[in-house]
């Protein structure tokens, strides 16, 4: 089979958006199966996901795996590919894969909408995102390109990933649970609109 990035490159070269959409769906199903099974891979990234001759996804490189029998043991010294991991912390537990799974899922969904993103953002060490993209104010090229698509699903996934990049965010559930959560309401301004800060009542 091919690694995930090699397979995506093949599909992009053929402008096969339908196959990219199928791939995104299969990725989400695989992650749901893993997380229901209380299995965390620990390093979900393009080089550790293989696509076989039938288009099925298979994982390799199990150095950072978490399973319930390992709970309480010292974590592995490897922390996964930085272009797929939370930028500030790494909790070795059942939900270890939620952040990286979302990064891959959003990348695949976006490529299915616009395969041209590949040529603009892929650098052989990622799909679309790099470590530097995970920091606010999220003004790097990938966020600009995703916003330009004006696609409701991608906008929702983009907001969710940005929320997960918060310094205090810790995965507390599966990718499915994360995607099913209602979006966070924007923080209400502390001063009513039109009122200057020095007029704010004590």
């Amino acid at each position: 089979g091919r690694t995930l990035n090699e397979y995506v490159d093949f599909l992009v070269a053929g402008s096969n958006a339908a196959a990219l959409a199928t791939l995104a769906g299969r990725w989400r199903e695989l992650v749901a199966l893993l997380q229901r099974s209380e299995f965390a891979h620990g390093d979900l990234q393009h080089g550790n996901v293989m696509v076989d001759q039938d288009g099925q996804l298979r994982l390799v490189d199990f150095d950072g795996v978490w399973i319930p029998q390992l709970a309480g043991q010292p974590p592995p010294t490897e922390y996964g590919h930085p272009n797929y991991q939370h930028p500030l912390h790494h909790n070795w537990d059942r939900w270890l894969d939620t952040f990286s799974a979302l990064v891959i899922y959003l990348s695949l969904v976006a490529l299915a909408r616009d395969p041209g993103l590949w040529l603009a953002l892929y650098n052989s060490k990622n799909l679309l995102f790099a470590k530097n993209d995970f920091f606010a104010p999220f003004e790097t090229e990938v966020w600009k390109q995703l916003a330009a698509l004006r696609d409701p699903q991608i906008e929702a996934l983009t907001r969710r990933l940005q929320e997960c990049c918060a310094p205090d965010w810790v995965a507390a559930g599966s990718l499915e649970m994360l995607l099913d959560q209602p979006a966070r309401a924007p923080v209400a301004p502390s001063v009513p609109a039109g009122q200057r800060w020095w007029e704010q009542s004590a």
Side-chain angles (χ1 to χ4, degrees):
R2 297 177 168 104
T3 59
L4 182 61
N5 58 316
E6 291 171 343
Y7 186 63
V8 170
D9 191 59
F10 166 73
L11 296 180
V12 167
S15 300
N16 197 338
L20 285 163
T22 298
L23 183 62
R26 286 181 174 169
W27 174 250
R28 186 168 172 174
E29 291 169 2
L30 174 63
V31 172
L33 174 63
L34 292 176
Q35 295 191 309
R36 283 197 307 271
S37 303
E38 298 188 14
F39 178 96
H41 181 277
D43 189 14
L44 295 180
Q45 47 114 329
H46 62 268
N48 289 340
V49 183
M50 306 295 293
V51 186
D52 69 16
Q53 299 296 324
D54 298 321
Q56 299 302 312
L57 300 176
R58 302 184 182 278
L59 300 178
V60 297
D61 188 1
F62 297 100
D63 294 343
V65 161
W66 182 95
I67 55 176
Q69 292 85 344
L70 295 177
Q73 299 295 316
T77 54
E78 288 189 24
Y79 284 130
H81 198 300
N83 290 341
Y84 296 84
Q85 298 294 326
H86 190 280
L88 296 176
H89 57 76
H90 184 92
N91 288 356
W92 190 58
D93 60 19
R94 179 179 178 180
W95 309 122
L96 175 62
D97 292 335
T98 298
F99 185 90
S100 53
L102 176 59
V103 171
I104 294 172
Y105 182 61
L106 171 53
S107 299
L108 295 175
V109 170
L111 286 163
R113 295 290 192 278
D114 182 5
L117 294 170
W118 189 247
L119 296 177
L121 299 167
Y122 172 65
N123 64 17
S124 83
K125 297 178 182 178
N126 69 342
L127 290 178
L128 295 181
F129 292 90
K131 179 181 179 180
N132 291 341
D133 297 318
F134 299 140
F135 294 92
F138 309 114
E139 293 178 352
T140 53
E141 188 62 25
V142 63
W143 302 109
K144 295 175 184 176
Q145 298 250 2
L146 293 177
L149 296 177
R150 300 189 181 280
D151 179 278
Q153 182 186 13
I154 292 171
E155 288 174 357
L157 290 171
T158 295
R159 284 194 301 272
R160 181 66 73 221
L161 180 56
Q162 289 176 348
E163 290 170 2
C164 294
C165 291
D168 60 348
W169 183 84
V170 175
S174 67
L175 176 64
E176 288 303 307
M177 294 165 66
L178 186 70
L179 296 178
D180 287 343
Q181 286 177 5
R184 286 185 190 172
V187 177
S190 58
V191 181
Q195 183 177 345
R196 292 168 293 190
W197 65 266
W198 59 86
E199 295 173 342
Q200 189 174 7
S201 57

